Amino acid sequence: MNGEYSTKSMREEGGYEVIKKAIEKLGLRHKEHIAAYGKGNERRLTGRHETADINTFSWGVANGAVRVRRDTEKQEKAYFEDRRPASNMDPNVVTSMIAKTIILWKP
Protein backbone atom coordinates (compact mmCIF):
# COMPACT_ATOMS: atom_id res chain seq x y z
CA MET A 1 0.00 0.00 0.00
CA ASN A 2 1.28 3.43 -0.88
CA GLY A 3 -0.89 5.66 1.18
CA GLU A 4 -1.56 9.11 -0.19
CA TYR A 5 -2.47 11.48 2.62
CA SER A 6 -3.61 15.05 2.85
CA THR A 7 -5.65 17.34 4.99
CA LYS A 8 -7.60 20.34 3.78
CA SER A 9 -4.77 22.66 4.86
CA MET A 10 -2.25 20.60 2.83
CA ARG A 11 -4.32 21.18 -0.30
CA GLU A 12 -4.58 24.95 0.19
CA GLU A 13 -2.07 27.75 -0.31
CA GLY A 14 0.89 27.22 2.02
CA GLY A 15 0.13 23.52 2.13
CA TYR A 16 3.70 22.44 1.44
CA GLU A 17 4.80 23.80 4.83
CA VAL A 18 1.97 21.85 6.48
CA ILE A 19 3.08 18.71 4.63
CA LYS A 20 6.68 19.12 5.79
CA LYS A 21 5.59 19.57 9.42
CA ALA A 22 3.41 16.45 9.17
CA ILE A 23 6.32 14.44 7.75
CA GLU A 24 8.60 15.66 10.55
CA LYS A 25 6.08 14.31 13.07
CA LEU A 26 5.99 10.96 11.26
CA GLY A 27 9.77 10.81 11.53
CA LEU A 28 9.63 11.33 15.29
CA ARG A 29 7.30 8.33 15.65
CA HIS A 30 8.91 6.13 12.98
CA LYS A 31 9.43 3.05 15.17
CA GLU A 32 5.86 3.13 16.48
CA HIS A 33 4.49 3.33 12.95
CA ILE A 34 6.73 0.59 11.60
CA ALA A 35 5.58 -1.71 14.40
CA ALA A 36 1.98 -1.33 13.19
CA TYR A 37 2.63 -1.26 9.43
CA GLY A 38 2.44 -5.00 8.76
CA LYS A 39 4.19 -8.24 9.59
CA GLY A 40 7.32 -9.14 7.69
CA ASN A 41 7.95 -5.56 6.61
CA GLU A 42 11.64 -6.00 7.46
CA ARG A 43 11.93 -8.34 4.43
CA ARG A 44 10.63 -5.59 2.14
CA LEU A 45 12.21 -2.46 3.64
CA THR A 46 15.84 -3.45 3.20
CA GLY A 47 17.31 -0.23 1.86
CA ARG A 48 18.00 -1.98 -1.44
CA HIS A 49 16.04 -2.17 -4.70
CA GLU A 50 14.54 1.32 -4.31
CA THR A 51 13.17 0.64 -0.84
CA ALA A 52 13.87 2.49 2.38
CA ASP A 53 15.73 0.90 5.30
CA ILE A 54 13.24 -0.13 7.98
CA ASN A 55 15.44 1.28 10.76
CA THR A 56 15.91 4.73 9.27
CA PHE A 57 13.24 7.31 8.55
CA SER A 58 13.73 9.09 5.26
CA TRP A 59 11.67 11.44 3.16
CA GLY A 60 12.20 13.51 0.08
CA VAL A 61 10.87 14.77 -3.19
CA ALA A 62 10.46 11.77 -5.50
CA ASN A 63 12.21 9.39 -3.06
CA GLY A 64 12.27 8.20 0.53
CA ALA A 65 10.06 6.13 2.80
CA VAL A 66 7.72 9.10 2.81
CA ARG A 67 7.62 10.73 -0.59
CA VAL A 68 6.50 14.10 -1.87
CA ARG A 69 5.72 14.13 -5.56
CA ARG A 70 7.48 16.67 -7.76
CA ASP A 71 4.18 18.27 -8.73
CA THR A 72 3.32 18.73 -5.04
CA GLU A 73 6.61 20.55 -4.51
CA LYS A 74 6.03 22.66 -7.62
CA GLN A 75 2.43 23.56 -6.71
CA GLU A 76 3.43 23.98 -3.05
CA LYS A 77 0.34 22.03 -1.98
CA ALA A 78 -1.37 18.66 -2.40
CA TYR A 79 -0.40 15.44 -0.55
CA PHE A 80 2.41 13.11 0.48
CA GLU A 81 2.80 9.33 0.18
CA ASP A 82 3.77 7.03 3.04
CA ARG A 83 5.42 4.08 1.33
CA ARG A 84 6.22 2.16 4.53
CA PRO A 85 3.01 0.15 5.11
CA ALA A 86 3.10 -3.47 3.96
CA SER A 87 0.32 -5.03 1.92
CA ASN A 88 -0.82 -7.05 4.96
CA MET A 89 -1.30 -4.00 7.19
CA ASP A 90 -4.66 -3.14 8.72
CA PRO A 91 -5.77 0.01 6.85
CA ASN A 92 -7.83 1.19 9.83
CA VAL A 93 -4.82 0.98 12.16
CA VAL A 94 -2.47 2.69 9.69
CA THR A 95 -4.88 5.47 8.78
CA SER A 96 -5.68 6.07 12.44
CA MET A 97 -2.00 6.22 13.42
CA ILE A 98 -1.17 8.67 10.67
CA ALA A 99 -4.13 10.91 11.53
CA LYS A 100 -3.32 10.84 15.24
CA THR A 101 0.32 11.62 14.56
CA ILE A 102 -0.05 14.41 12.03
CA ILE A 103 -3.25 16.03 13.30
CA LEU A 104 -3.56 15.39 17.04
CA TRP A 105 -0.07 14.68 18.37
CA LYS A 106 1.88 17.58 19.85
CA PRO A 107 5.55 16.60 20.12
Side-chain angles (χ1 to χ4, degrees):
M1 173 190 153
N2 285 338
E4 296 176 353
Y5 302 96
S6 70
T7 60
K8 184 177 179 189
S9 60
M10 291 177 187
R11 296 185 303 271
E12 297 176 340
E13 292 303 315
Y16 191 53
E17 290 305 313
V18 178
I19 290 169
K20 290 192 294 187
K21 287 178 184 171
I23 293 170
E24 287 174 20
K25 286 182 173 183
L26 289 174
L28 294 173
R29 299 186 81 185
H30 176 67
K31 288 182 182 181
E32 295 168 69
H33 281 252
I34 287 294
Y37 277 15
K39 294 183 191 244
N41 221 359
E42 71 280 353
R43 292 189 307 268
R44 184 176 68 87
L45 298 176
T46 62
R48 296 186 303 268
H49 311 293
E50 298 183 20
T51 65
D53 173 38
I54 195 166
N55 297 307
T56 307
F57 181 81
S58 65
W59 81 273
V61 175
N63 68 18
V66 176
R67 179 171 69 180
V68 174
R69 294 176 53 109
R70 292 188 195 282
D71 57 336
T72 296
E73 181 185 43
K74 184 177 179 181
Q75 295 171 16
E76 298 183 356
K77 61 184 178 180
Y79 63 91
F80 66 89
E81 301 173 359
D82 191 341
R83 300 168 52 90
R84 299 172 297 167
S87 61
N88 63 0
M89 60 74 203
D90 180 332
N92 296 315
V93 170
V94 171
T95 302
S96 174
M97 282 191 81
I98 290 173
K100 286 177 183 176
T101 296
I102 68 172
I103 298 168
L104 302 175
W105 185 57
K106 306 286 186 219

